[in-house]
Each structure stands twice: as C-alpha cells, then as structure tokens.
Amino acid sequence: MVEQTIYQNDESDRKQLKMPKYAYQWIKSDDGKSMTKGLNAFEALFFANEEYTDSFTETENFVDSQLSSIASVKLVRALQKIKKTDLVVDTDDDEMQEYVNVHLPQDFVNNQLKVHRGIGEHIADAVVDLAESAYTDRLDRIECKREIYQYIDDGTYPSHPVAQAVVKGDDSRFDGVMDAFDLVSAYSDEDDGLQVHDDITLDDLRSVEHSSDGAGFTQISGKQDRIEALQIALENEIEKDDSDPTEYTSNQVAQMVSDIYDIETDSTVESYVDDLDIHWVTMVDFNARDVVLQYKKDTIEEIEDSTTRNKQTKLNKLKNTSASDLVLKDDEYIEDTELPAEVAIERWNAILNATNSNLRKSGIGRIQWNLHDKFETYVKKSELSRIESMIEEN
C-alpha cells in the first residue's frame, strides 16, 4: 500500500470511473494512513508511467544518475523490476466496479494525463504495477536505490529490506533480486578487482591496470577472462545509439588489445583478435591496385582487338600509365588492405570522385577521360556491386 506521495493543494478534478474491482479495492484501502483513493491512484500512475513527472521524478532521476555513474543503467533497471513473490491483486477477477469517484489534481489532468477515455483501466494497469512491485511507492524505491549506491560507494550496509535482499542475494521474498545482486557484486567487490559481467564497458577496461599490481585482468587471471571481458565490452559499445560498428575493425581491435592489456608482441595480439568474435563487421579485401591493374590489362586487350581510331596512341598511353597514375592517387592510397565493407565502398567512391576532380584540373585529354569513364563503370559493376551484395547477405 502507498505510504507516501505528494500532497497537492491546488484544485482537483472529480472523475467518476469504471474499473476492475481489484483495482478499486486497492485504491480505497489506506491501512489507516489517511491516503484517499485519489492519492493512491495518483501515486500508482506516477510510479508506473515514466512520462508523468513531478518533484519526486527529479529526485529519482538524480539518484538514478548517481547509481548509473558508479555502476550502470542496467543496475537501475534491475532494481526497478524487483517484485514481491506473493500475489497481491487477483487480475483474473474480471468483476467491474462502477461509479468510482476519484479526485486527481487538475493540473495533472489538464497537462499530463495521457488518456481521457478509459481512465479507470489506465489506473488499474498502474495499480497492478505498483501492487506487484517490491516497493510501496516511489520514495520507497528511491530510498532503496540510494542505499545501494551508498553500499557500492563506501560499503555502508543497507537497512532497506529490498536493498538488504539484493546485497545478500536473498530471493526468498522478492523476485528479480539475483539479477541486481550480480550487478552489485560486480561493482562493489573491491578486493577481487574488476570482474567479468554483462555490463562491462571499454571505459571500465581502460580505467584499471591489468598487471599484478592493478585491479584489472592480469595474465595470471587468464587469457580467457581478458578476451571475454573485451568481447562483452565491445558488444556493449556497439549497442549504443550513436556508435558505428564498422569503427571496430580487426586492426582497430588489435590496437585496443595492445593498449588495454599492454601487449607488445604482434603474435600475441593477433591470437587475442583471432579468439574474439567481431561478427558485426563484414570485412573485405580492398585490393584497389589489383583491380586497377586488371582493368588496365582488360582494356589493353580490348583496344588491341578493336579497330578504333588512334589505336596505337591509346595503347601507348595506357601501357605507360601506372596504376596510381590511372586513378590519380598516391601509391599508398591503393595498397591492398582489409577494410569493413562500408568503409571500402566509401574508399572506392572517394577514388572515383577524386579522379573526376583531378582530371578536370589536370587538362588531360580525351584518351584519359575515356579510360576513366570506362574504369568508373568497371569499378561500379565489379567492386561496388560485389561489396554491396556481401553486406546484404550478412
């Protein structure tokens, strides 16, 4: 039952509602705490709907940000999901209660209430969420989160019953405790240092020393723990809304392995990368030099078999043009390398666009223009279409 909520002195709207009887019985019971039906309904609505906001919301958001910064958003969500093990309301009972008078703050009704038909059912849904929750109201939930934050921060043992259950891993009274327990253990166990857990991040791995004197994953703790931690951290990173998975190529991951775990031997770094599953990147060989030389060979054969005007001039021009000169790029730009498919497409388009631009500035004649036009068609058909097909397949 609700123990605390915000008492508002402004005008209220009286709503005469129809709702499930179990919801009516819940909001009319105050256990001697002077909570009206309207206050109980109001707190249930705010407890169950994050889009409704008041001063308690600001307080909870502040505590959530503290807890997220010292631990993780996943811990905040895990704490919010904890429920009572005992059935509190019988939702199978479909008997309805009519003419239920409920007073709600007028400002809330006019500016925040998201439904104006079926308000009784809307309140009933919120009642179920709050009645099944391990918390009596939002302030109770806030206090639990605050004590968990304190426990992780300085080891202060909590007094809140849900917080106590979480730190002890006791799920005899509440469901969902163990998920929160695992996360709290990962962030509060200072003696054992950093642990592998589902919410570990790249920042976590970079923030500690992975040596015998540090709190990270040492060589003694085992290569498998190091790989598992980095695998989870990478996957968590690419799940971020603003993160591009193609940023994490095999070469970049290799550098990450070297930097995080302070590994200098190339063969050791490569063994780490081989054991990681970089499944989110479609890698392709960017063999620009081979493509250009094959195009040059095909074009020479085509000209030799033709009866075109200025045949020998064209042949001489093409044979004397190097691969890099053909696309008007430095040698390093078309060296073979491995790239994510999306990056390879960008690189090919950059070559074609830059060649167009450079040709205009260089004053090269029609022979070079014709060669480039054919080369552009060749690349789009052979390389870009191939890479795009690979992306679609994956």
Side-chain angles (χ1 to χ4, degrees):
M1 197 70 260
V2 173
E3 294 183 356
Q4 300 177 81
T5 190
I6 292 180
Y7 289 79
Q8 300 195 17
N9 295 322
D10 57 347
E11 295 183 6
S12 64
D13 271 5
R14 182 175 71 88
K15 301 291 184 182
Q16 192 170 82
L17 309 173
K18 179 180 179 180
M19 65 177 61
K21 194 163 187 176
Y22 63 78
Y24 166 71
Q25 291 173 338
W26 190 89
I27 66 171
K28 75 168 184 159
S29 174
D30 68 356
D31 293 335
K33 299 184 185 300
S34 301
M35 298 293 288
T36 66
K37 295 192 297 293
L39 288 172
N40 283 329
F42 176 86
E43 181 60 24
L45 286 169
F46 275 67
F47 183 96
N49 296 276
E50 292 182 351
E51 59 267 45
Y52 296 157
T53 60
D54 58 13
S55 60
F56 281 6
T57 310
E58 296 175 4
T59 301
E60 186 161 26
N61 286 343
F62 174 75
V63 174
D64 286 352
S65 67
Q66 283 188 310
L67 195 51
S68 298
S69 65
I70 201 172
S72 68
V73 174
K74 283 188 178 180
L75 177 55
V76 173
R77 292 173 182 163
L79 290 172
Q80 292 185 176
K81 292 178 181 178
I82 297 175
K83 296 182 178 182
K84 301 180 182 75
T85 54
D86 299 326
L87 181 67
V88 178
V89 292
D90 183 10
T91 55
D92 291 332
D93 183 1
D94 56 3
E95 184 178 355
M96 301 297 290
Q97 182 76 34
E98 298 184 346
Y99 310 114
V100 179
N101 291 319
V102 174
H103 290 262
L104 295 171
Q106 192 176 86
D107 180 70
F108 164 67
V109 173
N110 292 339
N111 297 312
Q112 293 197 63
L113 186 61
K114 62 184 178 182
V115 298
H116 293 279
R117 304 186 71 175
I119 297 176
E121 290 289 348
H122 185 45
I123 292 174
D125 291 339
V127 163
V128 172
D129 283 355
L130 178 51
E132 292 181 347
S133 170
Y135 310 104
T136 58
D137 46 58
R138 286 176 294 160
L139 278 181
D140 189 43
R141 185 170 65 189
I142 291 169
E143 182 57 25
C144 176
K145 293 176 180 177
R146 198 195 310 272
E147 290 190 14
I148 291 294
Y149 168 82
Q150 203 66 45
Y151 175 78
I152 294 174
D153 186 46
D154 61 15
T156 301
Y157 195 80
S159 60
H160 192 285
V162 178
Q164 286 184 351
V166 167
V167 301
K168 291 190 295 185
D170 177 10
D171 60 355
S172 60
R173 294 176 57 195
F174 306 107
D175 288 332
V177 163
M178 297 311 296
D179 289 339
F181 169 75
D182 289 340
L183 291 167
V184 169
S185 299
Y187 289 102
S188 62
D189 196 350
E190 296 179 356
D191 293 335
D192 292 338
L194 191 63
Q195 303 292 307
V196 177
H197 56 85
D198 290 342
D199 205 40
I200 199 166
T201 66
L202 291 176
D203 286 342
D204 292 335
L205 294 178
R206 293 182 177 119
S207 68
V208 295
E209 291 285 338
H210 300 278
S211 63
S212 58
D213 298 328
F217 299 102
T218 66
Q219 290 182 342
I220 297 175
S221 66
K223 176 183 176 183
Q224 191 54 46
D225 279 354
R226 287 181 159 199
I227 290 172
E228 184 180 359
L230 184 54
Q231 180 77 50
I232 295 171
L234 278 168
E235 292 181 357
N236 286 336
E237 190 73 16
I238 66 172
E239 286 177 2
K240 292 180 180 178
D241 292 341
D242 58 350
S243 181
D244 180 4
T246 63
E247 293 176 0
Y248 301 102
T249 66
S250 57
N251 288 337
Q252 288 158 324
V253 171
Q255 188 62 50
M256 203 176 293
V257 168
S258 178
D259 292 344
I260 289 176
Y261 295 129
D262 194 24
I263 300 173
E264 296 181 359
T265 308
D266 290 344
S267 59
T268 304
V269 171
E270 288 173 9
S271 72
Y272 273 69
V273 176
D274 289 342
D275 288 342
L276 286 164
D277 177 17
I278 318 176
H279 60 272
W280 54 84
V281 177
T282 301
M283 302 299 293
V284 298
D285 291 327
F286 183 74
N287 53 340
R289 181 179 296 280
D290 289 344
V291 171
V292 173
L293 291 175
Q294 184 61 48
Y295 162 74
K296 180 178 176 180
K297 179 176 179 292
D298 293 345
T299 307
I300 288 173
E301 291 176 356
E302 179 185 330
I303 294 174
E304 286 176 339
D305 293 338
S306 72
T307 58
T308 182
R309 289 181 58 194
N310 303 321
K311 177 176 176 178
Q312 196 57 48
T313 303
K314 291 180 179 179
L315 284 172
N316 292 338
K317 178 69 176 177
L318 185 54
K319 288 177 180 179
N320 293 326
T321 302
S322 67
S324 57
D325 287 341
L326 188 63
V327 294
L328 300 177
K329 283 288 186 182
D330 294 335
D331 279 345
E332 294 79 10
Y333 201 85
I334 61 172
E335 286 295 341
D336 290 352
T337 186
E338 185 185 41
L339 293 174
E342 292 84 353
V343 177
I345 289 176
E346 292 177 2
R347 179 74 69 87
W348 273 119
N349 284 325
I351 287 175
L352 298 178
N353 292 337
T355 306
N356 277 327
S357 176
N358 288 335
L359 282 172
R360 291 192 185 93
K361 294 176 182 177
S362 66
I364 292 176
R366 179 175 296 178
I367 293 175
Q368 184 75 11
W369 270 113
N370 290 341
L371 288 174
H372 173 67
D373 287 343
K374 291 182 179 180
F375 174 66
E376 185 170 15
T377 302
Y378 181 89
V379 168
K380 287 181 177 178
K381 286 183 178 180
S382 66
E383 289 302 302
L384 294 181
S385 62
R386 176 182 65 84
I387 298 172
E388 288 168 351
S389 297
M390 289 180 64
I391 294 175
E392 291 175 2
E393 290 172 2
N394 289 279

